[in-house]
Amino acid sequence: MNDLEKKGLWKFSCIPGIEESTFNKVLEKFYDLGIAGLTRENVQNSLDGKIPGNTSPVIVTIKTGKVKKEFIPGIDEIKDRILCLEGRNDYTKETIEHMQNKMNQEEVDYISFEDSNTKGLKGAKNGQSDSKEDTWSIYAYNKGVHSEEEDTTFEKFRGGSHGIGKIASNAASELHMMYFANCDEEGNKHLGGTVQLIEHKYQGKYYRSTGYFTDVEYINENITKFYPFENQFHEIFAKETRGLKIIIPFLREQFNDEKEIIKSICDSFFVAIVQEKLEVVINDNRINSKTIKNYISNKDYYTQDIVDMKNEFTPLYFNTYMTKKPIQIKIADCEAGYNFKLYFNYNEAIPKGRVAVIRTIGMKIEDKKVKGNVNKPFNAVLIPESIIEDAYLKSLENESHTELSFEHIKNQKLQRNAKRFINNISREISRIIEEEIKKNNPTDGLMDTKDILYVVENQFKQDLSKAAATVKLNKGSKELTIVKVEADIPKKEEPKVKDENKKKKKTLKKVKKREKNNEGNEENENSQEKQTRYNAHPDIVERLIIGNKEFVKFDFSDSVELKKVKVCDISLSVVDGMGMEYSNEFSMSNNYKSAVDKATGKQCKIENNVIKDIQIKKGIAQVELELKEQFNKALKFVYYVEV
């Protein structure tokens, strides 16, 4: 044969010479996505394979275990190929060496994904084919494409593939190999597979990087045709019922984590499971609409304290989706509007605001950050209203189904539409956030701030950025988000009529040197020295109240100059809902029992409404305050740093 070796179980196409000496870059991308990327890709493929009209949920059975190397079909052929690989750069050499070290294990870890109530792949018995109906041929032998349904309505509801997700399974294997067992509607059972190496020289000939686990038929001098093997291999490769099964031997250690697999299923598919579109069995764990809450509310899987939910948001999303009635919202691009259901939860205990963007199949695409609202106390779930919106979301998914993006869209007009749409998601949800803030934080000048623990007025931040010049603390162009005070703090005025109090006032237009405190007081020499006073912008301040403790953190780490400052004093002023500042309305001594420097564990003095001598380490200053009973937790502050 001219282009293929007929003998053996693995087939590599011959080439004139080596042109590319690196591994497929997509391998590294899916490797970086870890177990979450692997499970999301394979479960999404199973949901895509749902039989149209079948109301039963797709069932995905995930198993992990060990298999003897001798039961892996064609393993000796792959070992021979790996021994022939030659790296041309450090990364490739390192990867090849790692593969060579792993391939001689006598017993290896594996993972398998088997689906039920799915179509499986068609046309395996026909072998390699150009027919769109032969989905086996497309899945087994083509890269960069995916099969499309004849029913365009059903196709639009699918998870959306860029044709490269199949390689996610290869990335999870130490040897970059995977197998897929198929049982079709007629009961035909076949086994295929792929391995991703680099272009290489083997027994005097040059070969492509991708190998196929397949048989081959010699048609004529120029034409060969792939045919899959009938599945008569070891039981871990068996697929007895209609559907598809992915088997990944030589599973990487970091992918072999049952707890993380369970979490990734809950993270990405909680809506599909609640809607009974999906059930997942992971070894002895069954996750369905009746049991998913047991996992999400289990502290062994997720933190259950809302104030600690800063990186993982699934418990918040689940609670929001299950307890809140959806709000109908419209999000537009440059040409049209799209309707969505927004499940929205406002809770002042939530530390980070995120939106779960969900496809109609019930798969989460991303934890979306709403511009300007990442630290607002809200949580939301966004789901398309109909097939039109879902198809549009599908077109915006990146190749790993983890983010809405516009960069991959080549058509400039469509790219502009996509960019506008993505920006408008933030704009529309920001509007809802602000409405909820106003509802919980009336701006009537009466200081009725209820339980809000955060500085949450967008207008206040905008006024601050316009009114206060940013101080450049280094000699370059980098600016730090603190402002030097230029004018006296406005004194509290006598109450005016409500209409006047509603007028927005610009705040914090101040720059002055701190006057000597208690001049003539010989016991307090440090307070007689002049200090520079800076207003700490809300973006660099984190404030948290738990029980009778308040924690305040100042992050000045962006400034090289400020890192050199070892000690600072902290003072504050009360701010109302309009951004108006009241410098003399709060007494630290009447509200705080003690102040502890978190860097040293030592108590700080509180004198003249100033917390003294807080250590700054690596740009961070932190203080723990013990509250007295009369402390009003609804108050909001602006902080001043004196150095």
Side-chain angles (χ1 to χ4, degrees):
M1 296 180 61
N2 292 331
D3 62 344
L4 289 165
E5 294 291 338
K6 187 171 183 179
K7 62 182 180 180
L9 300 177
W10 289 91
K11 306 300 185 297
F12 291 79
S13 297
C14 288
I15 53 176
I18 294 176
E19 296 181 0
E20 295 186 7
S21 301
T22 59
F23 287 94
N24 190 320
K25 294 180 180 178
V26 181
L27 284 169
E28 186 176 359
K29 177 164 189 170
F30 277 103
Y31 170 76
D32 291 340
L33 290 172
I35 190 64
L38 176 68
T39 55
R40 181 170 52 245
E41 186 67 35
N42 282 300
V43 175
Q44 180 239 298
N45 287 342
S46 295
L47 284 170
D48 285 349
K50 180 180 177 66
I51 300 172
N54 189 338
T55 58
S56 299
V58 169
I59 299 175
V60 178
T61 301
I62 303 174
K63 291 184 178 179
T64 58
K66 292 184 178 293
V67 61
K68 290 185 177 181
K69 184 178 63 178
E70 63 190 82
F71 295 138
I72 301 174
I75 184 60
D76 290 334
E77 298 173 33
I78 297 303
K79 285 175 58 179
D80 289 344
R81 298 272 178 170
I82 291 174
L83 288 172
C84 294
L85 302 182
E86 293 185 12
R88 306 295 175 91
N89 58 55
D90 290 343
Y91 171 76
T92 306
K93 289 177 182 178
E94 183 180 312
T95 303
I96 293 170
E97 182 180 1
H98 180 76
M99 296 171 77
Q100 291 173 344
N101 290 336
K102 293 293 183 179
M103 68 185 187
N104 293 317
Q105 297 174 346
E106 293 304 315
E107 191 174 54
V108 302
D109 293 328
Y110 79 91
I111 189 172
S112 64
F113 297 81
E114 179 177 1
D115 57 44
S116 304
N117 295 328
T118 53
K119 302 189 300 291
L121 301 172
K122 294 181 181 179
K125 63 182 180 181
N126 298 329
Q128 196 171 11
S129 167
D130 293 330
S131 172
K132 291 183 179 180
E133 295 182 359
D134 288 344
T135 53
W136 170 275
S137 182
I138 295 172
Y139 188 91
Y141 309 125
N142 288 278
K143 290 186 284 186
V145 297
H146 81 284
S147 60
E148 294 188 356
E149 293 291 323
E150 292 181 5
D151 183 343
T152 56
T153 299
F154 184 71
E155 171 65 21
K156 289 177 180 178
F157 275 111
R158 295 178 56 180
S161 173
H162 291 256
I164 66 168
K166 292 174 285 190
I167 209 172
S169 296
N170 299 83
S173 168
E174 302 279 15
L175 303 190
H176 297 168
M177 65 190 309
M178 59 85 73
Y179 298 82
F180 46 93
N182 184 67
C183 180
D184 64 20
E185 187 177 10
E186 299 172 354
N188 299 304
K189 301 168 187 175
H190 295 88
L191 184 69
T194 62
V195 64
Q196 300 290 336
L197 305 178
I198 58 174
E199 293 182 1
H200 57 281
K201 186 177 183 180
Y202 178 68
Q203 295 182 350
K205 296 182 180 179
Y206 297 103
Y207 292 91
R208 293 192 189 281
S209 58
T210 301
Y212 298 97
F213 183 80
T214 189
D215 203 356
V216 65
E217 179 184 5
Y218 178 63
I219 306 298
N220 57 44
E221 184 177 349
N222 299 314
I223 300 176
T224 58
K225 185 177 181 179
F226 287 146
Y227 278 93
F229 296 110
E230 291 187 9
N231 196 347
Q232 299 175 348
F233 299 93
H234 187 267
E235 62 182 11
I236 74 162
F237 298 93
K239 176 58 174 158
E240 301 297 335
T241 59
R242 186 180 180 184
L244 189 67
K245 181 179 181 180
I246 307 298
I247 309 100
I248 306 169
F250 291 90
L251 181 66
R252 296 180 186 274
E253 181 180 355
Q254 59 268 44
F255 285 75
N256 193 3
D257 189 327
E258 181 180 278
K259 177 180 175 181
E260 288 303 314
I261 295 171
I262 290 172
K263 287 181 65 177
S264 68
I265 293 297
C266 295
D267 291 342
S268 295
F269 298 101
F270 70 93
V271 171
I273 293 170
V274 169
Q275 293 180 348
E276 299 186 342
K277 295 178 179 179
L278 173 70
E279 288 188 17
V280 182
V281 180
I282 304 168
N283 295 327
D284 296 325
N285 300 276
R286 180 175 289 272
I287 307 176
N288 57 28
S289 61
K290 296 181 177 63
T291 64
I292 187 170
K293 184 178 180 179
N294 297 336
Y295 293 95
I296 294 178
S297 62
N298 187 333
K299 63 181 177 60
D300 291 335
Y301 293 95
Y302 297 95
T303 179
Q304 300 302 308
D305 192 340
I306 291 180
V307 298
D308 293 329
M309 294 180 186
K310 298 180 180 180
N311 298 305
E312 295 179 329
F313 308 100
T314 298
L316 287 172
Y317 292 144
F318 183 78
N319 178 68
T320 298
Y321 180 69
M322 297 298 290
T323 62
K324 302 299 180 181
K325 293 183 178 180
I327 303 168
Q328 304 296 319
I329 68 171
K330 179 171 285 190
I331 302 170
D333 60 12
C334 298
E335 298 179 348
Y338 300 91
N339 297 311
F340 289 84
K341 292 182 289 187
L342 182 71
Y343 299 79
F344 186 85
N345 178 20
Y346 184 88
N347 182 341
E348 63 272 9
I350 297 174
K352 300 289 182 181
R354 296 293 187 273
V355 180
V357 181
I358 309 289
R359 284 288 315 283
T360 305
I361 61 170
M363 179 180 72
K364 184 186 74 175
I365 301 173
E366 70 169 312
D367 301 311
K368 184 166 182 59
K369 296 179 179 179
V370 179
K371 188 175 181 180
N373 293 273
V374 295
N375 294 317
K376 297 293 178 62
F378 80 95
N379 181 261
V381 176
L382 184 71
I383 301 179
E385 184 72 44
S386 73
I387 186 175
I388 298 173
E389 288 78 12
D390 192 75
Y392 193 54
L393 279 189
K394 176 181 174 180
S395 71
L396 303 181
E397 284 184 33
N398 66 358
E399 58 194 21
S400 53
H401 315 294
T402 57
E403 185 181 13
L404 297 180
S405 66
F406 57 85
E407 289 85 355
H408 64 277
I409 301 174
K410 305 304 180 185
N411 183 289
Q412 291 299 305
K413 179 180 178 181
L414 296 179
Q415 188 182 84
R416 284 194 299 272
N417 276 351
K419 187 175 183 179
R420 175 70 62 84
F421 176 83
I422 292 170
N423 288 337
N424 280 344
I425 293 177
S426 288
R427 185 172 290 110
E428 289 301 317
I429 297 178
S430 293
R431 178 180 56 80
I432 293 171
I433 294 169
E434 291 307 311
E435 289 176 357
E436 194 66 28
I437 288 173
K438 290 177 182 178
K439 188 188 303 181
N440 287 269
N441 182 32
T443 57
D444 58 2
L446 300 178
M447 292 292 291
D448 181 12
T449 55
K450 303 217 184 287
D451 295 324
I452 303 300
L453 304 181
Y454 307 90
V455 178
V456 293
E457 282 288 340
N458 272 355
Q459 186 61 46
F460 172 70
K461 288 187 179 182
Q462 293 168 5
D463 288 345
L464 175 63
S465 64
K466 294 176 183 177
T470 306
V471 176
K472 297 182 180 179
L473 292 179
N474 58 17
K475 295 181 180 179
S477 60
K478 189 173 182 181
E479 296 181 348
L480 179 70
T481 53
I482 64 175
V483 292
K484 209 170 182 179
V485 184
E486 279 196 345
D488 289 335
I489 299 169
K491 305 297 182 183
K492 183 178 180 182
E493 299 177 0
E494 292 298 319
K496 297 182 180 180
V497 295
K498 189 173 183 180
D499 289 342
E500 292 178 355
N501 282 335
K502 283 186 175 179
K503 294 179 180 178
K504 298 286 185 178
K505 296 185 175 77
K506 291 185 178 180
T507 60
L508 306 177
K509 297 179 179 178
K510 335 168 218 149
V511 162
K512 72 173 184 178
K513 296 288 185 178
R514 183 185 174 192
E515 296 180 354
K516 292 181 180 180
N517 266 337
N518 298 321
E519 195 168 2
N521 184 348
E522 296 179 355
E523 295 179 359
N524 206 348
E525 284 188 4
N526 289 335
S527 65
Q528 292 183 21
E529 298 177 359
K530 288 187 177 181
Q531 291 181 294
T532 305
R533 192 179 196 218
Y534 299 101
N535 166 262
H537 192 283
D539 285 348
I540 65 171
V541 180
E542 291 186 27
R543 180 182 176 222
L544 177 65
I545 296 178
I546 303 177
N548 68 335
K549 295 289 182 67
E550 178 180 4
F551 302 87
V552 186
K553 175 182 176 182
F554 301 85
D555 186 352
F556 308 115
S557 56
D558 283 344
S559 170
V560 175
E561 290 294 328
L562 200 56
K563 284 182 181 177
K564 297 178 182 178
V565 178
K566 303 298 183 183
V567 180
C568 70
D569 296 345
I570 301 294
S571 60
L572 56 80
S573 295
V574 174
V575 181
D576 67 13
M578 299 294 293
M580 187 62 189
E581 192 176 338
Y582 303 89
S583 59
N584 300 316
E585 291 299 305
F586 184 83
S587 169
M588 287 190 179
S589 59
N590 290 340
N591 285 276
Y592 296 137
K593 289 183 180 179
S594 64
V596 176
D597 186 341
K598 296 295 290 181
T600 64
K602 297 179 180 179
Q603 285 204 2
C604 302
K605 290 183 180 179
I606 300 177
E607 296 178 348
N608 304 309
N609 256 9
V610 177
I611 305 172
K612 308 287 291 183
D613 300 326
I614 301 172
Q615 298 289 316
I616 300 178
K617 291 192 174 182
K618 295 183 179 180
I620 303 295
Q622 300 182 78
V623 62
E624 176 185 323
L625 302 162
E626 186 176 0
L627 310 178
K628 293 185 177 180
E629 291 184 4
Q630 64 266 31
F631 181 83
N632 182 357
K633 295 181 180 181
L635 293 178
K636 297 184 292 185
F637 301 118
V638 59
Y639 292 90
Y640 291 88
V641 181
E642 302 176 3
V643 297

